[in-house]
Amino acid sequence: MFQSQPEWIILHGSDVTAVIECSKNEAPLWRYWGMRLPDGLTPGSILRESRPEPSFSPHFDQPLTIFPGGGVGWFGAPALLAHRAGADWSFQATRCEVEQNVGSALIKLHDDVAKIELVASLSIKGNVLTLSTSLTNRGDGVLDVAWLASGVLPLPADARTVRSYSGRHNSEFVAVTDSLTRSMWRRENRRGLTSHDCFPGAIVEADGATFGAQLGWSGNHAQQIEWIDDGRYQWQMGEAFAPGEVRLASNESISTAEMLATCGADANEVAQNFHAAVRARIDWPGGKMRPRPVHLNTWEGFYFDHDEAALVDLADAAAVVGIERFVLDDGWFAGRDDDRSSLGDWWADSRKYPNGLLPLASHVVGLGMEFGLWVEPEMVNPDSALYHSHPDWALSVDGRPLLASRNQLVLDMQRPDVQEYLFEKIAALLRDLPISYLKWDHNRDIIAAGNRPAYRAQVHGGYALMARLRAAFPDVEIEACAGGGGRIDAGVVQHSHRFWTSDNIDAVSRAAIQRGFLQFMPPEIMGAHIGASPAHASGRSQSMAFRGGVALPGHFGVELDVRKLNDADRAELEWWISTYKQHRDRLHHGQVWMGEGNDGLLWQAHGTPHDVLLLIYRLDPQTQRHAPSLKLPMLDATARYRLTDAPFGHDETDGAWLIQHGLALPPMKAETVQIIRLTKI
Ligand code: GLA
């Protein structure tokens, strides 16, 4: 299936292009990744033949390839670090075969010396280049692999800054901007799941283009950007392995997670490209996304305090205000009165639910709502029936203490008996109850990952369980949660349908968290709730209008005890729910633009350039005497717009005016939102 090498591999997306130069018996060279070049392009000089030899340098010049090796005259970071008991440590393709199709290429690199076979896969759909690598050990001994990049990309010499994301529980997507210099830039996560601390992706600003990449992987990961000798940079991204984690027997293979890369004129184009790619990865029940139902989640309103009669009342009150899906969170299963016990015992607590969950679930469904249930399959509390009968099912390292976190340990997802137990228990719930939704949590980092490190196997074990349950119950949707936003990535999105963005529902915090989220993920999978005031995580109080306006663009929900609202608040909540229902189609199928106006204004626009829902947020008090006008660059300069709910009675204005001069705004108080619709006349 692999052909002899074509001279060039040119992959075009609608607005992006990758150009790779092939030369005989070596890995192809990266020549270009960036904004679209014309069809029928003839690249300039052939790098392999034209680059002069610099002084005091090897006679064999080694430019950046699509998969640079070490110990062969490439002085940058290699994309593969591996050895066989200390030997066969250098890697260089001695033969190369390319299979090229429209928009994709499989590049097979054979190293007949180190006895390694590697296939680099590159394919462009829309404007996103997906890269992954698979490696086969063709030698006799075990091949120890310490690093295997999912992909390697060139970045131009004028790349200036990289924005990555840091954070913690309750504070996800904290944007950090670093300058790109001659020092290696590197971010690494070793928490065993995607992590709150280090989202697996970044945005690079260059002159005239913005680049983005993210890894579709819910485990340890690393990325690095390195200045190379020709003034460009190389960007590598991949899974991070623990020592000894990947040891391939003869003829054994490993395939990496996928790296998604794109570029655009600005960060908003990068976000739109990612949204399209992530949308294409989601496997919706029935093959198509239904309008995202309004959630009621019981967590912050009830915590572990489940009272069946109160929850029935809550369901009644929820149905009245327009809730469409009722999610019973933590606290429902055997003995679970706090976070100290019972994870693993996935059957209903007979004290709280004497007749099981069926009466409550049927009541919810009878009210016309869907019923969803919280589970945390990969976890076990030492105080649980499961742990008492199977203490050996928890991951541990001999001789090391079992470090609990939130009083819980992690089950060994490599074990078939663990997989079988969890499948049986969750399948029984899905079979016996009218459940159409699982909120799937993972409330701790992984530390002791087994005597042979099994971080990677844990991720695959979690994915496999999700996939098996979805195959058996294809109508069930899954929400990926890990103490809020600890498992948000383009890998788990292939098994799930919503992310719980953060345990922090404070609307001021959320404005920033959601902005980071939307850089990589589309709004319809961004769990966004109206929580109580004061917010439980921060103690700050915010109006219902502000909480509603911040939650509006996401997959909207409510996380408070609706029964306890006064009449005015209940009426306002109902208004937000019906406003969400009115706009969700526009919000969840369109493009997203985000930006900052003068004097601390934040804005988001959703839809198309001809029909935009504009959300303007003021977080802090205005510092200027007069409010600045807000430029709206996403509009069509040739169109005239009708404005609905605009200040100062504007009802019609030219797009060109709004782009160049901006929309005049009245003063806004801190923690308020304005929502304006602009439609082309
Ligand atoms: C995590 C989730 C919360 C809630 C609790 C339950 O913190 O993020 O939404 O489900 O677990 O224990």
Side-chain angles (χ1 to χ4, degrees), residues 169 299 303-305 329-344 346 352 374 376 379-384 404-409 441 443-444 503:
H169 175 237
W299 180 240
Y303 290 109
F304 297 101
D305 194 11
D329 209 283
D330 197 354
W332 61 268
F333 48 100
R336 182 74 164 174
D337 293 335
D338 51 40
D339 66 11
R340 285 185 297 238
S341 78
S342 307
L343 290 172
W346 300 115
K352 299 177 185 173
W374 181 92
E376 199 182 355
M379 298 294 155
V380 64
N381 285 115
D383 182 5
S384 66
S405 178
R406 209 191 189 212
N407 310 301
Q408 60 200 59
L409 304 174
D441 222 325
N443 280 327
R444 61 160 293 171
D503 275 350

Side-chain angles (χ1 to χ4, degrees), residues 238-317:
E239 301 168 37
F241 306 140
E245 182 162 16
V246 178
R247 307 191 74 223
L248 300 177
S250 186
N251 291 318
E252 201 183 340
S253 301
I254 178 178
S255 294
T256 68
E258 290 176 333
M259 173 181 181
L260 277 56
T262 187
C263 103
D266 58 22
N268 282 325
E269 281 191 16
V270 167
Q272 288 158 14
N273 295 344
F274 277 144
H275 294 180
V278 170
R279 282 172 173 159
R281 289 167 87 82
I282 304 175
D283 177 15
W284 293 106
K288 193 163 170 271
M289 183 182 83
R290 290 183 289 124
R292 299 293 71 214
V294 178
H295 275 205
L296 182 288
N297 182 290
T298 60
W299 180 240
E300 288 203 353
F302 284 73
Y303 290 109
F304 297 101
D305 194 11
H306 286 213
D307 175 280
E308 193 175 2
L311 288 161
V312 165
D313 282 352
L314 177 70
D316 292 338

Side-chain angles (χ1 to χ4, degrees), residues 96-356:
C96 170
E97 294 158 280
V98 176
E99 182 188 312
Q100 206 181 158
N101 293 308
V102 180
S104 73
L106 284 178
I107 302 169
K108 198 170 188 177
L109 305 175
H110 304 262
D111 183 339
D112 293 332
V113 177
K115 305 247 177 326
I116 285 170
E117 189 181 295
L118 197 138
V119 181
S121 157
L122 296 92
S123 80
I124 293 190
K125 278 209 188 72
N127 286 319
V128 171
L129 172 66
T130 302
L131 304 103
S132 64
T133 308
S134 66
L135 180 152
T136 305
N137 175 13
R138 293 289 180 216
D140 289 335
V142 167
L143 185 75
D144 261 290
V145 183
W147 172 241
L148 176 66
S150 288
V152 179
L153 285 177
L155 287 169
D158 55 23
R160 306 260 176 257
T161 58
V162 53
R163 184 166 77 246
S164 65
Y165 294 84
S166 173
R168 64 166 176 94
H169 175 237
N170 279 338
S171 184
E172 294 82 349
F173 287 106
V174 176
V176 181
T177 301
D178 296 309
S179 296
L180 289 173
T181 67
R182 300 285 173 112
S183 306
M184 168 89 87
W185 177 88
R186 184 171 167 92
R187 292 290 314 265
E188 192 171 313
N189 161 53
R190 296 200 176 271
R191 288 182 179 268
L193 78 164
T194 323
S195 88
H196 301 87
D197 312 53
C198 183
F199 177 78
I203 302 295
V204 170
E205 298 287 353
D207 290 352
T210 301
F211 296 82
Q214 57 175 315
L215 191 70
W217 182 241
S218 311
N220 292 329
H221 53 82
Q223 56 170 324
Q224 59 195 29
I225 300 179
E226 182 186 40
W227 188 87
I228 53 180
D229 281 338
D230 57 10
R232 296 185 296 170
Y233 296 85
Q234 64 152 335
W235 191 355
Q236 293 188 10
M237 196 175 266
E239 301 168 37
F241 306 140
E245 182 162 16
V246 178
R247 307 191 74 223
L248 300 177
S250 186
N251 291 318
E252 201 183 340
S253 301
I254 178 178
S255 294
T256 68
E258 290 176 333
M259 173 181 181
L260 277 56
T262 187
C263 103
D266 58 22
N268 282 325
E269 281 191 16
V270 167
Q272 288 158 14
N273 295 344
F274 277 144
H275 294 180
V278 170
R279 282 172 173 159
R281 289 167 87 82
I282 304 175
D283 177 15
W284 293 106
K288 193 163 170 271
M289 183 182 83
R290 290 183 289 124
R292 299 293 71 214
V294 178
H295 275 205
L296 182 288
N297 182 290
T298 60
W299 180 240
E300 288 203 353
F302 284 73
Y303 290 109
F304 297 101
D305 194 11
H306 286 213
D307 175 280
E308 193 175 2
L311 288 161
V312 165
D313 282 352
L314 177 70
D316 292 338
V320 170
V321 295
I323 303 284
E324 298 165 310
R325 183 186 272 158
F326 182 99
V327 182
L328 190 68
D329 209 283
D330 197 354
W332 61 268
F333 48 100
R336 182 74 164 174
D337 293 335
D338 51 40
D339 66 11
R340 285 185 297 238
S341 78
S342 307
L343 290 172
D345 300 347
W346 300 115
W347 52 91
D349 189 321
S350 57
R351 297 163 307 154
K352 299 177 185 173
Y353 299 97
N355 300 307

